Amino acid sequence: MKNVFFAILAILFIATSCQKKEVVVQQEDLVQFINPLVGSDSDYKLSTGNTYPATAVPWGMNFWTPQTGGWSGWLYQYKADHFRGIQQCHQPSPWIGNYASFTILPVTDELKVLEEERQVKFSHDKEISQAHYYKVALENGTSMEVTPTERAAIFNITYAEGKKPYLVLDGNARGNHVKIDTKNNTITGYVSNNNGGVPENFKNYFIFKFDQPFKSYGTWTKDGIKANDAEATNEHCGAYVEFAAGTKLVVAKVASSFISLEQAQLNLSREIGDKNFAQIKDAAQAKWNKELNRIQVKGGTDKEKRNFYTSLYRTMLFPRTLWEVDANNKIVHYSPYNGEVLPGYMYTDNGFWDTFRAVFPFFTVMYRDLNAQIMEGLANTYKESGWLPEWASPGHRSCMIGSNSASLIADSYLRGIRGYDINTLYEAIIKNSNNPGPLASVGRAGAKEYNKLGYVPCDIKINESAARTLEYAYADYCIWKLAIALNRPQEEIDRFKKRAQNYHNLFDKDVKFMRGKKANGEWLENFDEFAWGGVFTEGSSWHYTWSVFQDPQGLIDLMGGQDKFLEKMDAIFSTPAKATWDYYGHKIHEILEMELCGMGQYAHGNQPIQHAIYLYNWAGQPWKAQKWARTTMDKLYAPTPDGLCGDEDNGQTSAWYVFSAMGMYPVCPGSGEYAIGSPVFDEVKLHLENGKTFTIEAANQGAKNIYIKDASLNGTPFTKNYFTYDELMNGGTVKYTMSETPNKERGTKPSDFPYSMSNEK
Ligand code: CA
């Protein structure tokens, strides 16, 4: 009997451990290495990240940020010394702007409500900014603390003795509603502020529940304060409440919903309920630590560890969760596309032009389940709007270029991630490939001409035509591979294979750069290799010529062979940071950031060239990829408010660091290969969702020992300049020995080079 009992236990144990994919690892408190203030010392003219300190849980529906500026744009600037409140925000970038935001601030003695009037002095030495927790003590003697869940948060607000304790709620313009309920100590309402990309009925419903009764209350608009008024609806309105004299601590529980006030109340009771501040804070910290501990590092400097986990934090904020769980425990979402509440997942706040490069490839490796949900969200977007998103916030926005949704989908499906409707996604991709969309950045502007001529001509009133061509050609590579996997007709497969080579059409062998071409086949006159914009996007030909992710060998051939290619690669770093900007009419901040990088034409502050360093792996000089990757990590990342060298962009510039610090980078998402760089830690362990662990050991690595002397993978000598996805997923160990001098033999044979379409027979 006893034996039978143990046998059953053993079977149960095996059954559970097979289902449970999560790896149980020793948890370290890694949240302490995150500095959310990194990148917040930015303004319109110069970006050191253009971030704000988001206190949230990973991929949370709402972020909470201290507000020093207006409700949208530069919400928080490190250089500011006045504080306007803590804001629930949803802003992916100051350039795209905020939506669905509201702000609260404790005010004492004299009731002031407008943001310029109510603002209070503060200093950073009385501020604690963490991923899961934010606290500030203001000069008026009040303090605020906030800690979040996915869709809710809890505040502690303290007041100094002997001062009238008010709390002001600001609905932040562009249409809102507030309602004060003195019986239940609540303020409810909605805000509909946005910067576009929303249907008519768009609203963010909220509920604040206080643990204290209101001594007095009222509403306000820009025209003044209305005491004893319990309800207001206005273009810009808010509420205020006063607590009893002598009140020291007020606890406010808050939740929101894009669906309804009832759903916001449900979110509040589910996510906060009776829990207290410490419990919510511990849970938020535990959520971050669970994710951060999926990648554990040893060695490296303190700065590198802070850079790494701060980057990991930024990689795990976007895309934003836009789905909620209804009263019947069903996953539903408010559609920012058609305004309906519909079943299934939805994510938003992302520009794929940035994030296809490294953020989504990171999810493909580390977050396959999340990736499947995101894919379902993309299929829902197509069903609800007729198009895939390229820049969503929360609905379609016209920003940037490309057809990069194909990259996300191909990288997911080709790596075996399932659980979503790939046929709908494929249909959407094919529609993109044939049609311009309702906005310039949705669908493919110039699709008909591109499909006919093999490039988007520069003289048909479609801007940034060369950049579009190069990105469409890469997307066509992704479609080609996907079409094979989906057993599509051979003609269709061949068509996309051919189009994936369209980058050839814009390479001018005379000037040895990509350049604009007219509909009649002639080059656009007056070629200027330093000209930003025009036929390119936020960069010049120096930055876009390398956008041949799918076929570096093809690019090498166009340039006249390996030596010529290497000469050009070296010239990126040795050519002065010259730029012309007629297209923009002013020097855009990205140009200034290139100059400040001090790495010649290597403009790491913007996305087009961020993969280029790794191209040395295709040309027999992998040690230069190691050198420049390490130089970029050392020089251009610091765990300080001015620590980044340009817009962070929804995790992309951070994901570059995460991959690079581990010694690899996904140059061509979709190919399933990761080009090798220079690992900055003695050991990195990737705890994968399938239960396996991939370990990267770098013996002897350090500030000077940045070069790979030799390597082994699972005990066998390893000479390749890349890992495959399967090598990572199977778990195992790569062991490097690092040295101060480059090994000019390792990784120099063509058989060691990563994937190029041209090499595929
Ligand atoms: Ca950018």
Side-chain angles (χ1 to χ4, degrees):
M1 194 64 199
K2 207 176 176 184
N3 286 343
V4 174
F5 178 68
F6 277 117
I8 291 168
L9 260 190
I11 289 163
L12 278 174
F13 178 73
I14 291 164
T16 342
S17 49
C18 287
Q19 282 165 5
K20 198 168 159 49
K21 291 192 282 180
E22 302 277 318
V23 196
V24 181
V25 291
Q26 189 70 39
Q27 298 268 304
E28 196 188 335
D29 181 34
L30 297 171
V31 168
Q32 61 177 307
F33 297 105
I34 295 173
N35 181 2
L37 296 168
V38 170
S40 67
D41 193 5
S42 297
D43 55 36
Y44 177 83
K45 285 195 184 120
L46 178 64
S47 168
T48 69
N50 266 337
T51 61
Y52 53 87
T55 290
V57 293
W59 301 289
M61 190 170 87
N62 307 313
F63 300 166
W64 300 89
T65 183
Q67 184 186 336
T68 64
W71 74 275
S72 181
W74 282 262
L75 307 175
Y76 174 97
Q77 288 178 296
Y78 192 77
K79 58 174 83 61
D81 61 357
H82 279 78
F83 194 88
R84 295 177 171 184
I86 291 181
Q87 187 194 112
Q88 187 196 99
C89 68
H90 304 92
Q91 179 170 287
S93 145
W95 310 110
I96 284 288
N98 204 354
Y99 66 93
S101 89
F102 54 85
T103 305
I104 61 166
L105 180 74
V107 170
T108 56
D109 283 345
E110 196 189 340
L111 180 61
K112 293 175 184 167
V113 293
L114 298 175
E115 61 190 25
E116 302 83 9
E117 293 169 13
R118 68 171 190 255
Q119 62 181 2
V120 189
K121 276 202 106 177
F122 85 115
S123 63
H124 297 300
D125 56 355
K126 293 197 174 148
E127 178 184 48
I128 299 168
S129 177
Q130 295 182 299
H132 67 293
Y133 172 72
Y134 178 84
K135 180 179 183 179
V136 66
L138 302 168
E139 281 201 7
N140 65 358
T142 65
S143 75
M144 302 181 84
E145 288 175 278
V146 64
T147 189
T149 66
E150 277 78 4
R151 301 169 190 84
I154 183 166
F155 280 84
N156 278 344
I157 298 153
T158 66
Y159 294 92
E161 259 179 274
K163 292 189 173 182
K164 270 190 175 180
Y166 291 104
L167 188 88
V168 171
L169 166 69
D170 189 339
N172 289 339
R174 302 195 189 179
N176 47 63
H177 170 75
V178 291
K179 186 177 178 183
I180 301 156
D181 179 345
T182 52
K183 280 204 190 90
N184 293 303
N185 305 332
T186 62
I187 305 176
T188 56
Y190 61 75
V191 292
S192 37
N193 50 57
N194 66 80
N195 279 285
V198 296
E200 282 288 309
N201 67 351
F202 172 75
K203 287 182 178 70
N204 180 21
Y205 300 89
F206 63 81
I207 172 167
F208 275 92
K209 191 161 177 45
F210 298 90
D211 71 336
Q212 310 272 326
F214 308 145
K215 187 187 169 195
S216 74
Y217 62 88
T219 63
W220 59 269
T221 64
K222 284 203 159 169
D223 299 327
I225 294 167
K226 262 194 189 171
N228 301 316
D229 184 34
E231 196 167 354
T233 308
N234 193 280
E235 177 64 16
H236 182 181
C237 66
Y240 75 88
V241 291
E242 182 192 354
F243 301 102
T247 298
K248 280 186 190 154
L249 171 69
V250 173
V251 179
K253 295 178 173 181
V254 52
S256 63
S257 165
F258 291 103
I259 294 171
S260 66
L261 182 57
E262 293 70 33
Q263 180 67 44
Q265 284 162 330
L266 188 61
N267 292 343
L268 185 65
S269 61
R270 253 199 210 125
E271 298 188 7
I272 306 273
D274 294 330
K275 294 192 194 82
N276 64 27
F277 193 95
Q279 287 170 312
I280 299 296
K281 186 184 170 195
D282 288 350
Q285 185 168 4
K287 271 177 201 157
W288 276 110
N289 274 327
K290 176 175 172 263
E291 305 309 339
L292 299 172
N293 273 280
R294 289 194 188 208
I295 306 184
Q296 294 176 315
V297 304
K298 282 186 189 157
T301 62
D302 183 67
K303 179 187 166 190
E304 283 158 348
K305 205 166 174 183
R306 286 178 196 282
N307 280 340
F308 185 77
Y309 285 108
T310 299
S311 297
L312 202 47
Y313 148 81
R314 290 262 167 223
T315 306
M316 297 194 296
L317 288 173
F318 297 101
R320 180 183 311 291
T321 294
L322 206 71
W323 52 270
E324 302 178 50
V325 183
D326 73 7
N328 301 315
N329 286 320
K330 294 271 187 307
I331 289 163
V332 293
H333 64 273
Y334 167 81
S335 170
Y337 299 99
N338 66 16
E340 293 174 31
V341 178
L342 295 162
Y345 290 106
M346 180 58 68
Y347 288 85
T348 190
D349 287 336
N350 225 270
F352 296 158
W353 182 80
D354 300 287
T355 53
F356 86 85
R357 299 162 200 269
V359 176
F360 286 95
F362 178 77
F363 298 160
T364 310
V365 174
M366 295 303 296
Y367 288 96
R368 290 170 59 96
D369 293 349
L370 171 75
N371 180 290
Q373 293 177 11
I374 293 169
M375 290 303 128
E376 188 187 318
L378 293 183
N380 288 335
T381 300
Y382 177 65
K383 288 177 199 160
E384 292 159 26
S385 74
W387 298 92
L388 286 165
E390 297 298 335
W391 227 124
S393 179
H396 293 302
R397 300 289 291 276
S398 200
C399 185
M400 310 314 288
I401 60 141
S403 199
N404 297 305
S405 51
S407 170
L408 276 62
I409 294 162
D411 200 42
S412 171
Y413 192 80
L414 295 169
R415 303 289 80 76
I417 298 173
R418 297 291 184 270
Y420 51 90
D421 182 356
I422 187 63
N423 293 321
T424 293
L425 289 174
Y426 188 77
E427 179 190 311
I429 285 175
I430 296 300
K431 182 178 174 182
N432 269 355
S433 77
N434 288 321
N435 296 284
L439 303 170
S441 61
V442 173
R444 291 191 184 187
K448 305 247 180 315
E449 296 81 358
Y450 171 86
N451 291 345
K452 192 174 153 215
L453 301 170
Y455 60 95
V456 181
C458 60
D459 56 350
I460 57 165
K461 295 197 164 58
I462 292 174
N463 66 349
E464 305 177 4
S465 57
R468 288 183 200 274
T469 300
L470 294 169
E471 292 187 25
Y472 294 169
Y474 162 64
D476 289 339
Y477 156 79
C478 293
I479 302 172
W480 169 47
K481 288 294 179 182
L482 198 52
I484 294 169
L486 295 173
N487 291 314
R488 300 295 305 172
Q490 194 59 45
E491 178 281 327
E492 191 170 304
I493 292 170
D494 293 343
R495 191 187 335 142
F496 286 102
K497 183 181 182 184
K498 183 165 180 278
R499 288 181 187 168
Q501 289 289 310
N502 277 341
Y503 67 89
H504 279 264
N505 300 331
L506 293 192
F507 189 84
D508 179 357
K509 288 185 177 170
D510 292 334
V511 300
K512 295 189 168 49
F513 277 104
M514 296 290 176
R515 68 184 289 190
K517 193 181 261 185
K518 297 194 279 190
N520 67 7
E522 289 170 11
W523 295 115
L524 175 66
E525 301 82 357
N526 304 321
F527 177 71
D528 173 4
E529 67 197 71
F530 300 111
W532 279 54
V535 299
F536 298 108
T537 302
E538 289 184 358
S540 69
S541 191
W542 269 106
H543 311 111
Y544 257 97
T545 291
W546 314 101
S547 290
V548 189
F549 316 97
Q550 71 278 25
D551 198 8
Q553 184 57 51
L555 182 63
I556 291 167
D557 295 341
L558 281 175
M559 285 187 179
Q562 191 166 295
D563 292 345
K564 296 277 182 214
F565 177 84
L566 287 167
E567 235 173 72
K568 192 88 166 181
M569 283 286 293
D570 291 347
I572 295 173
F573 305 97
S574 62
T575 303
K578 202 181 150 191
T580 57
W581 51 82
D582 293 350
Y583 176 70
Y584 298 103
H586 68 283
K587 184 170 164 179
I588 60 172
H589 70 98
E590 287 89 349
I591 295 173
L592 175 60
E593 288 144 20
M594 171 177 74
E595 292 167 2
L596 294 172
C597 279
M599 292 171 71
Q601 286 289 331
Y602 185 66
H604 190 74
N606 207 16
Q607 281 65 33
I609 202 170
Q610 285 182 346
H611 66 291
I613 279 173
Y614 287 93
L615 294 177
Y616 281 114
N617 283 305
W618 276 258
Q621 293 190 343
W623 66 89
K624 286 187 183 165
Q626 294 153 30
K627 173 187 157 182
W628 289 116
R630 192 70 171 233
T631 305
T632 303
M633 284 187 275
D634 288 349
K635 255 181 90 144
L636 303 181
Y637 288 81
T640 54
D642 63 351
L644 299 175
C645 61
D647 289 353
E648 196 282 331
D649 283 331
N650 303 136
Q652 169 53 29
T653 300
S654 294
W656 186 95
Y657 190 93
V658 170
F659 269 117
S660 293
M662 300 193 293
M664 56 176 146
Y665 191 77
V667 169
C668 181
S671 71
E673 290 188 0
Y674 305 81
I676 287 173
S678 176
V680 304
F681 297 108
D682 300 353
E683 182 190 282
V684 180
K685 280 188 181 294
L686 281 82
H687 301 292
L688 305 165
E689 275 184 343
N690 64 9
K692 294 181 176 160
T693 298
F694 189 79
T695 305
I696 300 150
E697 290 178 19
N700 203 34
Q701 75 77 26
K704 285 185 181 159
N705 298 336
I706 62 172
Y707 295 106
I708 296 170
K709 188 176 161 202
D710 55 55
S712 70
L713 180 63
N714 302 325
T716 324
F718 181 61
T719 60
K720 295 199 184 307
N721 293 336
Y722 63 93
F723 300 115
T724 65
Y725 186 76
D726 290 344
E727 281 167 347
L728 299 179
M729 285 299 124
N730 289 337
T733 304
V734 60
K735 290 189 183 192
Y736 297 111
T737 307
M738 306 299 288
S739 78
E740 200 175 335
T741 48
N743 176 349
K744 296 191 176 176
E745 303 299 319
R746 188 191 173 277
T748 55
K749 294 190 195 71
S751 57
D752 295 322
F753 301 170
Y755 175 82
S756 279
M757 208 183 148
S758 291
N759 293 334
E760 209 171 337
K761 297 294 170 237

